[in-house]
Structures are given as C-alpha cells and as structure tokens.
Amino acid sequence: MPPSIAECELTHLEREPIDFARATQQHEEYEAVLRSLGCAVKRVPADPSHPDSVFIEDTAVVLDECAIIARPGATSRRGETAAVSDALSPYRLLFPIEEPGTLDGGDVLCVGHRVFVGLSGRTNSAGANQMAHILEPMGFSVATMPVKGCLHLKTAVTALGDDRVLLNPAMTAIPSATSDLRVIEVDPAEPLAANVLAIDGKVLCSASAPRTRRRLENEGYNVIPVNASELAKAEGGLTCCSLLLRTL
Ligand code: CIR
C-alpha cells in the first residue's frame, strides 16, 4: 500500500485523515488471516502513482477458467492493471475489458458459474456486455444487477461460499430469474456489513459489524472479525484488498 493512499478516490465519504502506520498494520493483519486459512500471499509492489492500488480486487476478476483484466471506471485507477496483468499471466489466460467498456472487479459477484455485474458509477453496460461475451462461451451465465447508494456491487452483496449470499436489500436486488440463491440480510443498523470475504467456509467480517456477525454465526458460519477501519476511510472493504485464485 502506498502512502499516497491519503489521495485516494472518494465517492460517498468525506475525506478523513488516514493513519498510514495503522492502515499498514491492519493490512498486515488481514494478510495474516489469509495465511492462517492456508493462502499463499503474493504482493504486487505498491505504486505511489496509484493511490488506490491496495484495492487490487478492482483490477481483475479471477476465475478458475481465466482472468478478466478490468478497465477501472475511475481514470486515476486505469494504470493499476498493468502490474496485476503481469502478476496473473503465469496463472491464467487473460481477457481485457476494452474501451468503451468500464468495469471494476468490485462490481463482479461470482456464485459458482453465475456471474453478476453491478451497474454502478464505475461499471457500464458495455463492460457488462464484454463480460458476457467472454464468459458465456465458457459456460457462465452473466446478469446485471442495480447498485444504489454505494460504490460497488460487492459493497451491497457478497458470496458466502455455497449458494448463499450476504446482502443489503437497500442497495441492490437479486434478479428474479436467480431466486434460487439463498439470501442472508445484513443487520439494518450495519448497512456496509455485506462486504465479507468467504474462504473455504470461514468468513472474514468487519469488526465494526457485530450484529451481522451474529446473524452469520447463527447460520452456522465460522466468522473471523477483521479490523479494517483505516481502509474503510478510503471506501475499501474486505474483498477489495485481495484477488483470490486457486492454483490449478
Ligand atoms: C475507490 O474509490 O476506487 C477506492 N477509494 C476504493 C475502492 C474499493 N474497492 C472495492 O470495494 N472493491
């Protein structure tokens, strides 16, 4: 993470000072949780000319079959994808989103072979159509979802691992043709709690969302609270600080 994170993009929040040492410590704790779950963590070098580059999720969508290289909706973030393409190219065949499409990885929710693309301030329908053209021949279904009052689709809904999702119904809606997905709703007092990161049945959840954490535990999930308060000041959540890929 570069110290220039202080100049990050902000859409829904007022700028507040970010304590860089604390942000770095929270990011290291996040990496430690990933390692404790069996992940090998590989870092892409921090680039000071890209203040938001710690939010690597937005630069790509990694599936077992391929990786899509995003074309971020914020022009300040377009240059982030080159280093990520280099890091991913040994592992996956890469397909880039091209102009006029824009797409942030944070707007792409994958549940098995179902892919949902949020139409947000960052991702346009040309980007969503390109996703469909790339992925449908590989056996994926691709559908769009609305995004209201938040930055990305995955601020509003994330996958829990099986056919379940954690969702804030005030920010998005599952397409009716996909009503077989099982939905757990966030506690209404915690509107930003839907951004959780599920890894093999364990769920990383923001430490600032204890009520939603209890809801998940009541459903049988093993929840790991993670403190990401400094990155939250940059509108980052738990999914956005990593790209998960299975080594095949
Ligand atoms: C941005 O506005 O692009 C960054 N400040 C935050 C990006 C967070 N990314 C994500 O939730 N996937």
Side-chain angles (χ1 to χ4, degrees):
M1 169 173 25
S4 59
I5 189 169
E7 293 133 43
C8 65
E9 292 281 341
L10 285 176
T11 309
H12 294 279
L13 294 183
E14 291 295 317
R15 196 167 299 278
E16 272 189 78
I18 294 175
D19 179 332
F20 184 66
R22 207 165 131 75
T24 303
Q25 185 197 338
Q26 289 179 351
H27 190 255
E28 283 168 2
E29 285 166 10
Y30 172 84
E31 288 179 323
V33 173
L34 297 185
R35 284 195 192 92
S36 76
L37 297 177
C39 300
V41 176
K42 178 170 173 177
R43 281 190 180 187
V44 175
D47 178 350
S49 64
H50 293 120
D52 281 300
S53 51
V54 69
F55 303 121
I56 191 169
E57 168 181 59
D58 294 320
T59 60
V61 177
V62 183
L63 302 161
D64 286 351
E65 291 79 352
C66 66
I68 314 293
I69 300 302
R71 183 167 182 269
T75 47
S76 70
R77 302 199 59 189
R78 297 251 163 96
E80 293 175 29
T81 57
V84 177
S85 298
D86 287 348
L88 289 175
S89 61
Y91 304 101
R92 295 290 188 278
L93 196 56
L94 306 181
F95 294 87
I97 297 295
E98 289 167 350
E99 198 178 354
T102 63
L103 180 129
D104 278 16
D107 279 318
V108 181
L109 169 72
C110 301
V111 184
H113 278 72
R114 284 175 287 201
V115 175
F116 300 94
V117 182
L119 297 177
S120 71
R122 299 287 175 88
T123 295
N124 63 18
S125 38
N129 288 340
Q130 288 179 38
M131 283 291 275
H133 273 100
I134 296 164
L135 292 180
E136 282 172 357
M138 296 182 206
F140 290 87
S141 66
V142 178
T144 57
M145 282 175 76
V147 176
K148 272 190 302 196
C150 61
L151 185 59
H152 286 126
L153 179 64
K154 274 189 275 188
T155 322
V157 58
T158 52
L160 288 167
D162 36 30
D163 61 347
R164 294 217 257 184
V165 294
L166 179 65
L167 175 133
N168 178 343
M171 293 175 168
T172 191
I174 301 283
S176 49
T178 328
S179 54
D180 56 317
L181 285 190
R182 291 186 292 155
V183 174
I184 300 174
E185 293 189 1
V186 297
D187 187 285
E190 297 171 346
L192 296 176
N195 188 267
V196 297
L197 180 63
I199 301 179
D200 288 342
K202 310 274 193 325
V203 180
L204 282 68
C205 170
S206 168
S208 65
R211 293 165 181 250
T212 301
R213 175 187 174 182
R214 266 195 301 282
R215 284 191 179 199
L216 291 169
E217 286 172 343
N218 290 341
E219 296 286 343
Y221 288 96
N222 184 338
V223 181
I224 305 172
V226 175
N227 191 348
S229 56
E230 291 305 309
L231 294 171
K233 293 178 186 169
E235 295 187 27
L238 295 177
T239 59
C240 56
C241 295
S242 54
L243 285 171
L244 297 180
L245 63 139
R246 218 189 308 268
T247 40
L248 301 169

